[in-house]
Amino acid sequence: MKLTNRSKVVSNKKMSLKEKLYLPGIIQGMGITLKHAIEGPKGKVFSYPEVQKPRAKVWRGQHVLKRDEEGRERCTACGLCAVACPAEAITMKAAERKKDEKNLYREEKYAEIYEINMLRCIFCGMCEEACPKSAIYLTDRLVDVETNRGSFVYGKDKLVEDVDHRIDITDRQSEKQKKAVK
């Protein structure tokens, strides 16, 4: 389609009008930025890490693999948590319990390898809900700061709770989970 000289002139006038309206928009935006800089922050300001901002009671943080009353791992490597995970962050490998490992694992089958990729995890809590043995929970702890991507893959060494230092998750448990533990 061929443009006439008249249509070229009209389109040039529109461009210059748009260009003229562009500069006042920038000045107005800079004015808002200057106003906020002079007024300072609104609301409470926390000096992190000395003072941590209070979090909601239902806030989800780092995962923990729970142990039972006798100190044995609850996880039976059924894989329901990995299937329920929308981000596909959980991987595991099952193994058979040996006779001399009866005090370490509750069931005949256990998770030999259990890993969660914290970079993929969206902390939705679906793994918690899917677990029939109430073995995995999201705690109120922050995920540690790491220096490289590989160290964000948490294995059983970081996930299984220490027998001497149990993590209280009773506030996070639903009635169904409390019944499953008993």
Side-chain angles (χ1 to χ4, degrees):
M1 184 182 229
K2 200 171 186 183
L3 290 175
T4 63
N5 286 339
R6 181 167 170 79
S7 62
K8 286 181 185 177
V9 172
V10 171
S11 64
N12 286 341
K13 284 184 182 178
K14 287 181 184 177
M15 289 295 282
S16 62
L17 182 62
K18 285 182 183 178
E19 289 173 358
K20 287 179 185 176
L21 294 177
Y22 186 70
L23 194 57
I26 290 177
I27 294 169
Q28 184 182 10
M30 293 302 289
I32 292 170
T33 304
L34 186 61
K35 184 178 93 174
H36 285 290
I38 292 170
E39 287 178 6
K42 293 181 181 176
K44 281 194 166 186
V45 177
F46 297 94
S47 299
Y48 184 83
E50 292 84 21
V51 179
Q52 288 192 9
K53 184 178 178 181
R55 292 185 286 273
K57 220 176 177 184
V58 294
W59 186 81
R60 299 182 193 110
Q62 186 175 349
H63 302 72
V64 65
L65 286 171
K66 295 293 287 176
R67 295 181 180 269
D68 66 2
E69 304 79 36
E70 298 174 21
R72 301 175 299 185
E73 289 182 22
R74 287 186 187 166
C75 182
T76 59
C78 64
L80 290 176
C81 57
V83 171
C85 182
E88 298 177 359
I90 301 173
T91 56
M92 69 175 61
K93 179 181 172 191
E96 293 288 326
R97 178 182 74 185
K98 295 171 182 57
K99 290 181 182 179
D100 59 332
E101 295 177 331
K102 203 166 195 168
N103 62 336
L104 297 175
Y105 310 106
R106 284 173 68 165
E107 306 287 333
E108 297 293 322
K109 195 170 88 171
Y110 71 96
E112 181 180 24
I113 297 172
Y114 192 100
E115 294 178 338
I116 300 177
N117 186 340
M118 291 299 179
L119 295 174
R120 294 195 71 168
C121 180
I122 58 174
F123 300 94
C124 63
M126 296 294 286
C127 53
E128 254 183 8
E129 294 175 22
C131 185
K133 301 292 183 177
S134 295
I136 187 165
Y137 286 96
L138 280 85
T139 64
D140 58 353
R141 297 179 298 165
L142 292 170
V143 175
D144 296 331
V145 177
E146 304 288 346
T147 56
N148 61 4
R149 295 180 66 84
S151 54
F152 276 106
V153 177
Y154 283 19
K156 286 178 73 172
D157 57 329
K158 290 186 179 180
L159 295 173
V160 177
E161 76 176 338
D162 189 19
V163 178
D164 300 328
H165 300 95
R166 295 289 179 110
I167 300 167
D168 184 28
I169 42 88
T170 52
D171 292 341
R172 295 199 45 82
Q173 288 179 316
S174 66
E175 291 301 319
K176 181 182 173 186
Q177 289 170 331
K178 287 179 184 176
K179 288 177 185 174
V181 171
K182 292 179 182 176

